[in-house]
Amino acid sequence: MSKPDDLLVAIAAAVESEPTNQMALTVVVHGAVITGRLAPESVWRQRVAEVLKDSDQLGAFADIFSDAGTMSPSPQVAPPAYLHFHVARILQGTVGIPETGGMYRIAIKDVSAWTMGDFSFSER
């Protein structure tokens, strides 16, 4: 998408407005379907930092994602340019990858389609 969808930007801004805000969303990006929950960037960064900190091999990268590493305390003034998903899966047929959900940062300008809600699977 060459120009980000104003409605999607407004949704991302609403999620960013409160640390407790989350929203189930599914997007199509370069043909891939990604479904999960949007979270504010600060919450997303904190969760990524926690996961990295617990890793023997990746622990050194945790500070890059932590609030102390890169985030300023001032409120966001520009419209969000990214969606921050957690507990998200890339849908591939009847499988969601990874099964437990992952952490994805997606440029809003790259979203070609979207819908409200998180797709889940059932074994039938």
Side-chain angles (χ1 to χ4, degrees):
M1 187 179 275
S2 58
K3 181 185 178 312
D5 181 325
D6 291 337
L7 185 54
L8 188 56
V9 171
I11 290 168
V15 169
E16 289 291 336
S17 70
E18 290 290 328
T20 58
N21 284 352
Q22 295 185 17
M23 177 178 208
L25 190 72
T26 299
V27 297
V28 178
V29 179
H30 301 294
V33 178
I34 301 170
T35 189
R37 286 188 308 218
L38 287 182
E41 181 177 2
S42 61
V43 172
W44 182 86
R45 284 178 176 263
Q46 178 182 359
R47 180 66 186 125
V48 171
E50 290 168 2
V51 170
L52 291 173
K53 201 174 285 188
D54 291 341
S55 170
D56 291 336
Q57 296 176 335
L58 302 174
F61 296 98
D63 285 344
I64 294 171
F65 289 90
S66 70
D67 287 343
T70 57
M71 295 297 289
S72 66
S74 62
Q76 185 170 349
V77 291
Y82 294 91
L83 301 172
H84 295 89
F85 281 89
H86 69 113
V87 194
R89 295 169 317 280
I90 298 171
L91 303 183
Q92 181 72 33
T94 60
V95 177
I97 305 166
E99 285 184 21
T100 57
M103 310 291 282
Y104 297 99
R105 177 177 162 114
I106 298 168
I108 294 174
K109 68 177 180 59
D110 291 337
V111 174
S112 60
W114 60 274
T115 189
M116 307 293 287
D118 179 4
F119 290 107
S120 58
F121 301 97
S122 64
E123 304 260 339
R124 291 187 189 186

